[in-house]
Amino acid sequence: MVDSARLRRQTAQLLTVLAVAVCYYATARLGLLQQLVRGQVTPLWPPTGIALAALLVLGVRSWPGIALGALAANVTIGPSVLPVLVIAAGNTAAPVCSHLLLRRAGFRKELDRLRDALALVFLGALAGMLISATAGTGALVLSGAVRSADFWPTWSVWWTGDAMGVMVVTPFLLVLRRIRRPYGIGPARWAEAAALAVCTVAVTVLVTDTAGASLLFLVFPFLIWAAFRFERAGAACCALGVSTLAILAAGRMAGPFDHHVLLTNMITLQAFNGTAALTSLLLAAVVTERNSTYREIKRLCVQLAEKVTQQDT
């Protein structure tokens, strides 16, 4: 009986590791469709978001799946064996470091507090991804795949791409795992959600196909709408959709990304994506925390009223 239970646990752990590896590899292949530097550096690297979400939900024991997926994703595009190993090690160490930093900061996966959203941005995305960007860019330079003069441009694209993966993908996955089948939601609520989705997509497509960056701000009212009315779920979905559409526009050099050099396009794209992700994530956390506080105060008031009533009778 003991051996059978142990075998089931080991089998479950192995399947979990393999699932993480497959998800990492599959999203890496999708991310590479929008590569910008030597077939490896992208404006948004979804595997980092998946890796950190896996560590937060499944625990640090899922790290072999991240390592396996990173190795499989880089082995077909790496310049040689040693750089591939270094890049895979950096891609594994970065989310693990982010996970440890978040755990030390008391991070809650529910993202229902402003401090959790800020921790995800500054510790999970900006701080943790310094490791992968430095290891990866250094490996490419030392192998001769990237010129030493291009170290900082390549590093900045790598770092912001990994950070955007955490800021956009991780919240979406953390929210997705908590979504249950909705009950008691009226037609008006569904109609509002559909209107929000259609308007967000339509406006994002319009402003990313229009020359000049002056119209990009038109997307933000819809991100605010999503955060206020649908809290974390709406904000995460809208941020992911908006970032994806912006990246596709940058890939075909449309609208604000037309006739610009790589660095200019990256600054415009990442400034827009970063601001959109921050706006939706932080505002949704504030709204969720406010609503939770309101519900708790209401519950306490009801309890107090019941006690007063009982004493009077």
Side-chain angles (χ1 to χ4, degrees), residues 125-200:
L126 300 183
M129 297 306 117
L130 293 171
I131 298 174
S132 55
T134 304
T137 307
L140 292 179
V141 170
L142 292 177
S143 66
V146 171
R147 298 180 307 164
S148 58
D150 294 330
F151 177 87
W152 287 114
T154 304
W155 182 92
S156 62
V157 174
W158 195 309
W159 178 56
T160 54
D162 281 0
M164 287 305 305
V166 171
M167 292 171 60
V168 173
V169 177
T170 300
F172 175 77
L173 294 177
L174 292 179
V175 169
L176 186 65
R177 64 181 285 269
R178 296 182 58 83
I179 294 179
R180 300 292 183 266
R181 185 175 178 179
Y183 294 99
I185 298 179
R189 189 69 166 173
W190 285 110
E192 183 183 0
L196 172 61
V198 171
C199 292
T200 302

Side-chain angles (χ1 to χ4, degrees), residues 25-36 41-47:
Y25 177 78
T27 54
R29 301 307 302 177
L30 289 175
L32 288 171
L33 295 177
Q34 294 297 320
Q35 59 83 20
L36 296 175
V41 186
T42 68
L44 189 149
W45 188 240

Side-chain angles (χ1 to χ4, degrees), residues 238-261:
C238 283
L240 179 61
V242 165
S243 296
T244 301
L245 292 173
I247 290 170
L248 292 175
R252 63 178 187 272
M253 292 188 175
F257 314 103
D258 187 22
H259 304 303
H260 286 298
V261 297

Side-chain angles (χ1 to χ4, degrees), residues 91-108:
N91 289 344
T92 304
V96 170
C97 179
S98 295
H99 172 254
L100 295 176
L101 289 173
L102 290 173
R103 189 170 67 178
R104 188 173 183 85
F107 176 80
R108 293 201 320 212

Side-chain angles (χ1 to χ4, degrees), residues 203-289:
V203 172
T204 304
V205 170
L206 174 65
V207 299
T208 54
D209 279 338
T210 303
S214 58
L215 295 180
L216 291 177
F217 74 93
L218 293 176
V219 174
F220 289 91
F222 299 97
L223 295 173
I224 296 171
W225 178 10
F228 266 104
R229 294 291 293 158
F230 299 96
E231 296 184 7
R232 294 158 294 177
C237 292
C238 283
L240 179 61
V242 165
S243 296
T244 301
L245 292 173
I247 290 170
L248 292 175
R252 63 178 187 272
M253 292 188 175
F257 314 103
D258 187 22
H259 304 303
H260 286 298
V261 297
L262 173 62
L263 182 59
T264 304
N265 279 343
M266 280 301 302
I267 291 174
T268 303
L269 175 63
Q270 299 299 46
F272 172 70
N273 282 346
T275 306
L278 276 173
T279 299
S280 57
L281 179 61
L282 298 184
L283 185 56
V286 170
V287 172
T288 301
E289 190 171 13

Side-chain angles (χ1 to χ4, degrees), residues 64-75:
I66 300 171
L68 184 61
L71 185 62
N74 285 284
V75 73

